[in-house]
Amino acid sequence: QVVERCVAAAGYSVGEFAALGFAGAMGFAEALYAVKVRAEAMQRASEAVPSGMLSVVGRREANYKFACLEAKKHCESLGIENPVCAVSNYLFPDSRVIAGHLQALEFLQENARKYYFTRTKMLPVSGAFHTRLMEPAVEPLAEVLKSIEIQKPLVCVYSNVDGKKYMHTKHIQKLLVKQVVSPVMWEQTMHSVYERKQGTEFPYTYEVGPGKQLGAVLKKCNLKAWKQYNHVDALEDEEAAET
């Protein structure tokens, strides 16, 4: 019933392929192949430069762009040419993920108080995903997406790149490639998905898969929507079948 009455889908980063597969825009096997090519290309890009991602919770006064600019200047003083340090994920108000050269992220951690960051934590990832350091991954993904048949989604699917609905198949192809080097606009997406006229009933939301991170983010972005949130663990059925 939930699947039949579904009105929209969205996926975080690589989860966008799952959302598009669910919406009938691409076949499961083809989506999985595209994800494999994307992952391998991003891994190669990660190995080229010592880089990473830093989860940041800031106070209202936090100026993320200014902090990134100063971190880049610090990298230049160390002799790093064309350094990268930018917001790569907009999670919820006062929370961002900043990605780039490791030296830039270390600088931000050391100077957290100056930039009004209340909490910083390095993420256990191998590279600066969703920044221009991922440019080497663009071409391999673009090529594989050209070989995949993409259909118009059966339900609205929202893009990470701009938080808006995908309009047509070429749009999907273009933005999935752009997503690799663009920040994930998840906070903005959460506003677009739940935009309703006052008095309109709010939809139920289901997070499918391991963990409840997106539910935690939703609670910070839209409490009204979170009250009708459910988590569906992908492993529950398998475990039940085994017992």
Side-chain angles (χ1 to χ4, degrees):
Q1 273 186 323
V2 167
V3 172
E4 283 169 10
R5 291 170 60 193
C6 182
V7 291
Y12 186 95
S13 190
V14 71
E16 207 159 283
F17 286 86
L20 287 162
F22 168 79
M26 54 177 75
F28 178 72
E30 289 181 318
L32 212 53
Y33 178 61
V35 164
K36 178 180 182 286
V37 170
R38 177 185 183 272
E40 288 168 353
M42 287 169 82
Q43 183 58 36
R44 284 194 298 274
S46 297
E47 286 161 7
V49 178
S51 58
M53 301 179 86
L54 182 73
S55 175
V56 176
V57 176
R59 283 173 31 201
R60 289 266 166 93
E61 310 94 299
N63 185 330
Y64 301 95
K65 275 189 180 172
F66 176 67
C68 289
L69 189 67
E70 293 219 323
K72 283 193 278 190
K73 283 181 183 168
H74 167 72
C75 285
E76 283 166 357
S77 75
L78 299 175
I80 297 168
E81 284 181 35
N82 211 4
V84 172
C85 182
V87 172
S88 62
N89 303 74
Y90 291 82
L91 297 175
F92 52 85
D94 308 325
S95 179
R96 307 277 185 271
V97 175
I98 294 174
H101 282 82
L102 278 182
Q103 295 90 333
L105 304 182
E106 285 160 5
F107 172 83
L108 291 178
Q109 280 197 295
E110 285 161 18
N111 295 278
R113 286 181 71 180
K114 179 186 175 183
Y115 302 117
Y116 302 103
F117 296 164
T118 53
R119 200 169 79 230
T120 61
K121 186 188 174 192
M122 285 298 290
L123 297 180
V125 294
S126 58
F129 305 138
H130 304 290
T131 69
R132 64 180 169 81
L133 286 176
M134 289 295 117
E135 269 167 12
V138 164
E139 200 51 43
L141 181 59
E143 283 305 308
V144 76
L145 287 173
K146 279 178 197 167
S147 69
I148 288 175
E149 193 184 345
I150 299 174
Q151 311 276 353
K152 192 174 187 299
L154 300 170
V155 296
C156 295
V157 179
Y158 288 79
S159 166
N160 287 180
V161 172
D162 57 10
K164 295 174 183 170
K165 296 172 191 172
Y166 279 117
M167 304 309 291
H168 47 77
T169 55
K170 283 267 181 260
H171 195 215
I172 292 170
Q173 207 173 30
K174 184 183 167 188
L175 291 192
L176 278 180
V177 173
K178 198 176 176 185
Q179 192 229 61
V180 172
V181 289
S182 303
V184 173
M185 301 290 209
W186 194 254
E187 184 187 336
Q188 295 83 337
T189 303
M190 290 298 94
H191 292 310
S192 300
V193 170
Y194 298 104
E195 213 172 348
R196 295 281 184 286
K197 284 179 185 166
Q198 209 155 2
T200 309
E201 201 181 336
F202 255 59
Y204 282 86
T205 302
Y206 294 86
E207 179 176 1
V208 182
K212 299 178 184 177
Q213 293 93 330
L214 298 181
V217 170
L218 180 60
K219 188 177 183 181
K220 304 267 189 184
C221 287
N222 194 322
L223 192 59
K224 201 172 172 185
W226 178 77
K227 284 176 181 170
Q228 302 203 125
Y229 159 88
N230 292 281
H231 174 248
V232 181
D233 196 319
L235 300 174
E236 278 175 7
D237 288 348
E238 287 176 31
E239 284 167 5
E242 284 167 15
T243 52

